[in-house]
Amino acid sequence: MANLLDEITGPVNAAGQDIHVINRQLPVKIGAGSVLFEIALWVAIPIAVLIYAYLERANLTDPIQTAFIGCLAGMLPGIIFIFMKISARNYFQQLEQRIQAEASNIDNYLEQRVQILQNVVGLVNRAVDLDKDVMKSVAALRGGGKVTEENRNDIDQQLTTVMGRLFPQVEAYPELKAHSAIADAMQQNNYLQREITAARTTYNSRVTQWNTSIYDWPTKMIVAARQGYTTRIPFTASEETRQQARAKFF
């Protein structure tokens, strides 16, 4: 059989192709086959035992007792599957807590960046006239409260934009750049940005684990459908960040 993807003969898109994260949560659905599968676990073997006991009743010492014991033993797969579903439900609950913990780590780093930004602006503002947009953004971040699931991406984008405007102004003033507190803040900002990137990677790994597990048939997929679970959306870069990544840096 020939290769489905042939890197020699193509087709090849010479213009390249950009990709985006689809911002949609897909619900898990199961069909009639999954329902029949669960029913079969309970009734397939007992029915077979009853048919056998009926056909061989003349050769059995006690057909009723044989059928009764056989039916009890035949329900064992269904009982085992119940415990498998309980285990799968516990797995999803624990994984969901891990995803929440990873999201919380990102929030903690973002809050630290907000504090650094506010401290740097306070120092720089005494020496130079900052862009009014920078001051407005800092004031908005100062009054924005805690980072939450709803505003996480918005705060991240504001931080990236303000930092991008603030630090070039610091670079333009050697006396500010040499200020120990500002230099330390700039280093902390770079460190936190790397930590945020690492935390996002871990978060995306957990999301991928979740999105893969909910379609693991039969046990996990059936539990996910019964619990009403959906796929989760991984971290998405803003359009402004994507445009900046295409810009010339040097």
Side-chain angles (χ1 to χ4, degrees):
M1 180 179 179
N3 293 335
L4 297 178
L5 299 176
D6 189 344
E7 64 276 12
I8 303 300
T9 61
V12 176
N13 183 1
Q17 179 171 299
D18 202 354
I19 57 174
H20 294 81
V21 175
I22 304 302
N23 193 42
R24 181 186 303 166
Q25 291 180 311
L26 303 178
V28 182
K29 298 180 180 179
I30 56 175
S34 296
V35 177
L36 292 176
F37 171 78
E38 288 191 88
I39 295 175
L41 289 176
W42 289 97
V43 302
I45 296 179
I47 289 177
V49 170
L50 290 175
I51 294 175
Y52 171 78
Y54 176 77
L55 296 177
E56 298 293 329
R57 61 187 183 280
N59 301 324
L60 296 175
T61 304
D62 192 344
I64 297 178
Q65 182 180 10
T66 301
F68 179 75
I69 296 175
C71 288
L72 290 179
M75 290 188 293
L76 186 61
I79 297 173
I80 293 175
F81 193 66
I82 287 178
F83 286 98
M84 291 175 63
K85 289 192 293 184
I86 293 174
S87 177
R89 186 180 62 183
N90 293 338
Y91 165 83
F92 282 124
Q93 291 175 343
Q94 293 170 9
L95 181 57
E96 190 168 34
Q97 293 303 315
R98 295 190 184 101
I99 292 174
Q100 285 294 96
E102 299 300 338
S104 178
N105 287 338
I106 298 174
D107 294 348
N108 290 335
Y109 291 132
L110 288 176
E111 286 193 8
Q112 292 180 52
R113 287 193 75 197
V114 170
Q115 294 299 323
I116 290 174
L117 174 62
Q118 293 174 359
N119 294 338
V120 171
V121 167
L123 293 170
V124 175
N125 192 38
R126 298 189 184 100
V128 299
D129 292 329
L130 288 178
D131 186 349
K132 292 182 179 179
D133 290 337
V134 172
M135 298 304 298
K136 289 179 181 179
S137 299
V138 172
L141 289 170
R142 185 181 293 115
K146 294 288 185 178
V147 180
T148 64
E149 184 75 23
E150 291 74 22
N151 66 8
R152 180 185 302 126
N153 289 336
D154 183 51
I155 289 180
D156 183 34
Q157 181 58 39
Q158 291 183 54
L159 281 169
T160 301
T161 301
V162 176
M163 292 289 189
R165 292 177 178 175
L166 176 63
F167 285 160
Q169 297 186 53
V170 174
E171 295 281 351
Y173 293 85
E175 66 276 9
L176 288 178
K177 187 178 178 181
H179 195 295
S180 60
I182 294 178
D184 181 60
M186 294 174 68
Q187 292 180 356
Q188 290 184 48
N189 176 69
N190 292 334
Y191 165 77
L192 288 174
Q193 186 56 53
R194 290 194 297 269
E195 289 298 314
I196 289 174
T197 300
R200 285 171 177 162
T201 301
T202 304
Y203 175 82
N204 283 352
S205 298
R206 297 291 188 191
V207 169
T208 301
Q209 183 181 353
W210 174 279
N211 291 343
T212 302
S213 297
I214 61 176
Y215 289 109
D216 187 4
W217 193 88
T219 310
K220 290 187 175 69
M221 188 172 179
I222 291 176
V223 170
R226 298 275 168 76
Q227 295 294 322
Y229 292 147
T230 66
T231 57
R232 293 175 180 268
I233 302 172
F235 166 75
T236 307
S238 67
E239 185 60 30
E240 182 177 353
T241 300
R242 297 170 70 90
Q243 293 297 331
Q244 290 176 352
R246 298 186 182 94
K248 293 182 179 180
F249 294 97
F250 306 102

